[in-house]
């Protein structure tokens, strides 16, 4: 615990992979995608499932991740831009690979954040 009495933010998320526990460093996570009662943790090396609520992760790591959709948090460090599709939808770019759709509700806050990064 830190001197403030707040528990220290974790440096890793714990995932169960084929019966083994695997630690995923927070810094390696590109985005977190909620699916059913799991969250899929996406990294450049692949993906693992964790049994934690997206809302809980957002509360704990809100300074490192930004919500782009009701089911998705993206690492601020991995965010490389916003693109608008021909149909008017906006997507975030993660590195030079993945693009994820941004919900209209989350777009204003995301635009504001991108300008301050």
């Amino acid at each position: 615990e830190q001197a403030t009495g707040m528990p220290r933010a974790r440096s890793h998320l714990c995932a169960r992979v084929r019966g083994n526990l695997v630690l995923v460093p927070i810094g390696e996570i590109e985005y977190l995608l909620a699916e059913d009662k799991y969250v899929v943790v996406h990294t450049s090396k692949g993906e693992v499932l964790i049994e934690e609520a997206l809302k809980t992760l957002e509360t704990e790591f809100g300074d490192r991740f930004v919500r782009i959709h009701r089911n998705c948090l993206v690492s601020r460090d991995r965010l490389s831009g916003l693109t608008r599709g021909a149909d008017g939808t906006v997507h975030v770019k993660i590195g030079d690979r993945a693009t994820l759709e941004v919900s209209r509700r989350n777009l204003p806050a995301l635009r504001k954040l991108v300008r301050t990064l």
Side-chain angles (χ1 to χ4, degrees), residues 15 30 32 47 60 65 82-83 87 90 95 101:
E30 294 180 339
L32 301 163
E47 55 188 58
E60 184 176 354
F65 292 89
L82 296 176
T83 58
D87 59 357
V90 175
E101 189 172 341

Side-chain angles (χ1 to χ4, degrees), residues 41-56:
V41 178
H42 290 263
T43 68
S44 56
K45 298 183 183 114
E47 55 188 58
V48 292
L49 288 178
I50 60 171
E51 292 185 47
E52 288 190 60
L54 200 61
K55 185 77 190 138
T56 309

Side-chain angles (χ1 to χ4, degrees), residues 4-50:
T4 58
M6 291 285 290
R8 189 177 62 84
R10 293 175 291 169
S11 58
H12 294 74
L13 292 181
C14 188
R16 190 177 291 278
V17 180
R18 291 185 291 284
N20 300 315
L21 292 179
V22 176
L23 289 173
V24 181
I26 298 297
E28 287 184 11
I29 298 171
E30 294 180 339
Y31 60 100
L32 301 163
L33 196 61
E35 282 183 18
D36 301 322
K37 62 184 177 85
Y38 297 99
V39 168
V40 184
V41 178
H42 290 263
T43 68
S44 56
K45 298 183 183 114
E47 55 188 58
V48 292
L49 288 178
I50 60 171

Side-chain angles (χ1 to χ4, degrees), residues 43-90:
T43 68
S44 56
K45 298 183 183 114
E47 55 188 58
V48 292
L49 288 178
I50 60 171
E51 292 185 47
E52 288 190 60
L54 200 61
K55 185 77 190 138
T56 309
L57 294 166
E58 182 181 28
T59 302
E60 184 176 354
F61 300 108
D63 58 332
R64 305 205 46 185
F65 292 89
V66 59
R67 186 175 286 270
I68 65 157
H69 207 279
R70 66 181 161 75
N71 68 346
C72 188
L73 297 174
V74 171
S75 165
R76 292 171 185 235
D77 294 342
R78 303 295 176 122
L79 203 60
S80 62
L82 296 176
T83 58
R84 183 177 293 277
D87 59 357
T89 58
V90 175

